[in-house]
Amino acid sequence: MRVELQAAYVLHTRSYRDTSLLVEFFTPQHGRISAVAKGVRASSKLAKQKRSLLQAFKPLLISWGGKSDLKSLFHIEALASSYALQGERLFSAMYINELLSRLLHSEEDSEDIFYLYQQLLSQLNQQEPVDIILRRFELSLLECLGYGIELQSIADSGEPIHAEGHYQYFPEQGFRPYHGSQAVLNSFSGADLLAIAAQDFQPAARAAAKRLCRQVLGFYLGSKPLKSRELFL
Amino acid sequence: MAYSPLIDQLVDALRCLPGVGPKSAQRMAFHLLERDREGGFKLAQHLEQAMQGVNRCEQCRTLTEQPKCAICANTKRDHETICVVEAPSDVVALEQSGQYRGTYFVLMGKLSPIDGIGPEEIGVSHLLTRIQQQQVKEVILATNPTVEGEATAYYITAQLKALGVTVSRIAHGVPLGGELEFVDVGTLAHALEGRQVIA
């Protein structure tokens, strides 16, 4: 099977043999794919040119083929110049790449997530606070992966969440009323939840959204923590 | 088919080398056993010696069998300037340029969260202590111009801010003897951005 000229982003590369690279791509119709880019670490001019294209956050067009899980990369060209991310915004984008390479299904139609990813990169290039961009992406990503969080009603009963109430989050179930007197790690105020649902990121809701996303993602990521979190000072 | 235990063991051990799969390992093992016993003994001996003897330089983290590598031990070099590079091979490359008289710090990698390499793995805290102890004046960041290299450079810069040292990044641009029309657009953009006033 040969796939011609698909849009793609590099999620991750690592050296393979003497002159090749193993590249993990994110493509809209095939999700995450792994491919061998043969000879791109050689010293020829052409190899160097290809190598310089195989960088994260650069919109690419690629063609690949192969029947096994490991594809062969046949062709690569730049679709546009790369997103010039710097500092904290670069770390954030690297964090998202780590997240995607852990959560994305391989060879599965992921057009909606691909669109979100493109949006994320262009937003990171603008002025909006980084954490809001990340939260918006994380919440939509969970939605697209089928792990969406119901922020407006209570698990089981389906009763609406009230702004005055307090609620506790349970993985894969949702929110239940919380009657304890002390705030615990997985308890949230109804007002914050409703604000997150409305994507109205006020300071309190921002903090709550961060705590919530961490817990939900933590559940799906399993016990191995995300390394990119160490980059944030 | 299984071979005798000793051969199996050797084939298995050879597979720890990068890019060596079961077939290549088997080929190597049989070559040594059938045709080159002497080479095999030599390899075993040198491997053992290197594995026992080679450690990291206590100053720059490059690989050496001395407590300090030759460059760090050299008192004629400028110990107030540190050049931060990703790998020992980068040190060799920079030394060949003959332009640099300072010392090095070898990260032995670059920040790459997906590979599980964070700030601790590349020894950032080690670099910070060294800068504080030795009154370093300038830190030159010579990580590669890749996404990870840039991230590494940025991270180190942010960490160094409080220490009051000059931090510089090596320039990237058009190669010597190169022609503009064959240089890729990214490099050209960088070259334009980092242009210098000459008159």
Side-chain angles (χ1 to χ4, degrees):
Chain A
M1 183 196 72
R2 190 174 164 130
V3 183
E4 294 286 352
L5 296 178
Q6 275 258 319
Y9 283 94
V10 170
L11 288 179
H12 182 57
T13 60
R14 68 192 159 91
S15 307
Y16 177 64
R17 298 263 168 101
D18 283 346
T19 57
S20 303
L21 272 184
L22 273 183
V23 192
E24 217 175 288
F25 288 105
F26 178 24
T27 63
Q29 275 154 39
H30 301 264
R32 192 165 51 83
I33 65 156
S34 303
V36 184
K38 282 206 185 90
V40 291
R41 283 165 59 231
S43 55
S44 76
K45 206 172 222 172
L46 191 69
K48 276 183 188 153
Q49 239 167 36
K50 278 190 179 169
R51 177 84 206 266
S52 74
L53 291 179
L54 288 167
Q55 294 285 328
F57 320 124
K58 194 175 182 70
L60 298 171
L61 281 179
I62 58 169
S63 305
W64 73 87
K67 286 181 197 140
S68 70
D69 286 345
L70 188 60
K71 314 291 181 201
S72 300
L73 184 70
F74 294 133
H75 176 80
I76 168 167
E77 63 185 84
L79 192 61
S81 63
S82 40
Y83 290 96
L85 300 168
Q86 278 177 340
E88 200 193 9
R89 287 170 187 257
L90 176 58
F91 293 160
S92 304
M94 287 170 84
Y95 157 73
I96 295 297
N97 271 12
E98 188 181 10
L99 197 63
L100 286 177
S101 78
R102 293 270 292 273
L103 289 180
L104 268 187
H105 307 295
S106 69
E107 299 197 47
E108 202 177 286
D109 192 318
S110 315
E111 223 151 330
D112 39 4
I113 304 177
F114 192 82
Y115 175 70
L116 286 174
Y117 185 69
Q118 281 184 312
Q119 230 178 6
L120 169 96
L121 290 180
S122 73
Q123 283 168 356
L124 281 176
N125 241 354
Q126 291 152 20
Q127 295 306 315
E128 208 182 354
V130 177
D131 64 312
I132 296 183
I133 302 173
L134 290 178
R135 292 302 93 73
R136 212 184 288 129
F137 180 83
E138 286 168 343
L139 291 168
S140 321
L141 173 69
L142 286 167
E143 193 84 37
C144 294
L145 289 170
Y147 305 145
I149 321 163
E150 180 50 64
L151 289 160
Q152 281 162 309
S153 55
I154 297 168
D156 310 330
S157 69
E159 281 173 50
I161 278 179
H162 296 289
E164 309 80 46
H166 284 268
Y167 302 88
Q168 204 170 0
Y169 175 76
F170 295 93
E172 298 221 292
Q173 297 171 27
F175 292 95
R176 295 226 172 81
Y178 177 63
H179 302 296
S181 52
Q182 276 182 335
V184 288
L185 195 63
N186 62 349
S187 74
F188 297 88
S189 86
D192 287 345
L193 294 180
L194 293 175
I196 297 171
Q199 302 229 339
D200 171 19
F201 290 105
Q202 298 303 316
R206 269 159 88 170
K210 182 170 185 178
R211 201 152 48 90
L212 177 64
C213 282
R214 253 190 196 224
Q215 282 176 38
V216 183
L217 288 169
F219 178 77
Y220 294 109
L221 287 166
S223 55
K224 198 177 149 208
L226 286 172
K227 199 78 187 169
S228 19
R229 289 204 176 125
E230 290 175 21
L231 296 178
F232 295 92
L233 308 171
Chain B
M1 179 194 136
Y3 299 103
S4 65
L6 278 182
I7 301 177
D8 264 345
Q9 205 177 309
L10 176 60
V11 172
D12 249 12
L14 284 167
R15 287 187 56 189
C16 74
L17 293 166
V20 175
K23 265 279 188 251
S24 317
Q26 194 179 313
R27 188 169 46 79
M28 290 174 184
F30 281 123
H31 173 82
L32 292 176
L33 290 170
E34 284 172 20
R35 298 204 175 78
D36 199 0
R37 291 271 167 157
E38 201 184 318
F41 278 121
K42 204 166 143 192
L43 176 66
Q45 201 186 345
H46 289 313
L47 197 59
E48 169 101 33
Q49 280 173 358
M51 289 301 128
Q52 298 279 356
V54 176
N55 276 311
R56 292 204 179 165
C57 167
E58 56 189 36
Q59 273 203 33
C60 71
R61 300 207 338 146
T62 197
L63 297 171
T64 173
E65 56 261 44
Q66 314 291 340
K68 274 187 188 178
C69 71
I71 295 174
C72 289
N74 186 344
T75 48
K76 284 186 189 147
R77 295 193 71 120
D78 172 11
H79 286 262
E80 289 178 340
T81 311
I82 298 182
C83 181
V84 179
V85 295
E86 288 179 14
S89 53
D90 297 337
V91 173
V92 176
L94 282 167
E95 280 300 290
Q96 279 170 353
S97 78
Q99 279 292 313
Y100 184 62
R101 297 296 306 154
T103 52
Y104 294 91
F105 187 84
V106 186
L107 299 170
M108 293 285 177
K110 58 202 165 192
L111 287 180
S112 177
I114 299 184
D115 297 312
I117 299 175
E120 209 32 62
E121 283 76 9
I122 58 169
V124 173
S125 55
H126 189 98
L127 174 66
L128 294 182
T129 0
R130 185 175 154 198
I131 290 170
Q132 277 165 326
Q133 282 170 357
Q134 298 187 344
Q135 284 124 35
V136 172
K137 293 216 175 94
E138 183 179 359
V139 176
I140 303 169
L141 297 172
T143 52
N144 291 327
T146 58
V147 168
E148 290 91 353
E150 292 295 336
T152 310
Y154 178 81
Y155 184 85
I156 295 174
T157 314
Q159 297 281 320
L160 292 182
K161 228 169 227 170
L163 297 183
V165 288
T166 310
V167 183
S168 56
R169 179 96 175 89
I170 52 161
H172 11 84
V174 186
L176 275 185
E179 285 171 51
L180 286 192
E181 63 170 314
F182 296 116
V183 174
D184 70 289
V185 282
T187 310
L188 269 182
H190 254 299
L192 271 176
E193 229 171 87
R195 68 185 182 276
Q196 283 181 0
V197 180
I198 54 167

